[in-house]
Amino acid sequence: MKNETCASSLKDLTKQTGQLKPWQIQRAEQLMLDNLDADISVAAIAQACALSRSHFTRQFKRSTLLSPKEWMREQRILRGKQLLQTSRLLLADIALECGFSDQSHFCRTFVRTEGVTPRAWKQNNQSPAL
């Protein structure tokens, strides 16, 4: 009886925190990573996690401290930085590869998050092989 009470309390605590289950976080993040170069709706990700869009959005933010859109934007910038550092792609191609609508959109977002232009970031973080 005591073990049942502990298990019940643990379930109640999980419900109170409003966080996603580990499988839901993993599925959501993988779906977003697989679709960095395309648009995937929050509703589609929520559906894959068996939740409504609004409930998923709230729980995702509580679990990761970022909204799904913010998390996706952060991953796109990380991918852009990786490509800037390791490839010879044009900035416009990097932007498209990372899911930005164009080079200008990528540059504006990059400056807002990193505080420098992609070109300045690349010059400061270039791999010796390039």
Side-chain angles (χ1 to χ4, degrees):
M1 185 76 169
K2 197 175 198 180
N3 287 342
E4 289 176 14
T5 305
C6 279
S8 176
S9 296
L10 187 58
K11 282 184 182 179
D12 291 342
L13 182 60
T14 303
K15 286 180 182 177
Q16 288 174 355
T17 62
Q19 294 187 354
L20 294 174
K21 295 175 183 148
W23 73 266
Q24 290 171 314
I25 293 172
Q26 185 178 20
R27 181 170 289 165
E29 288 179 349
Q30 193 59 53
L31 273 170
M32 288 189 273
L33 288 172
D34 290 346
N35 290 283
L36 273 184
D37 62 343
D39 276 335
I40 183 168
S41 69
V42 175
I45 300 165
Q47 184 177 17
C49 294
L51 296 170
S52 71
R53 186 195 55 75
S54 59
H55 191 62
F56 167 78
T57 301
R58 278 191 306 274
Q59 287 191 331
F60 188 88
K61 187 158 186 167
R62 285 187 190 128
S63 300
T64 65
L65 304 179
L66 295 170
S67 72
K69 293 288 186 185
E70 291 167 335
W71 191 91
M72 185 89 143
R73 184 173 36 250
E74 187 175 280
Q75 297 308 308
R76 286 177 168 161
I77 292 295
L78 286 172
R79 176 75 176 130
K81 287 163 60 174
Q82 179 186 34
L83 290 172
L84 284 168
Q85 198 169 28
T86 61
S87 78
R88 294 182 183 264
L89 290 173
L90 297 173
L91 203 50
D93 294 330
I94 290 174
L96 295 176
E97 182 84 19
C98 297
F100 291 95
S101 56
D102 56 29
Q103 178 179 336
S104 178
H105 182 210
F106 173 63
C107 290
R108 279 192 318 273
T109 305
F110 196 95
V111 168
R112 193 171 35 235
T113 60
E114 298 301 314
V116 296
T117 64
R119 181 180 178 151
W121 187 91
K122 182 176 181 167
Q123 288 173 341
N124 292 330
N125 295 282
Q126 191 151 12
S127 295
L130 292 178

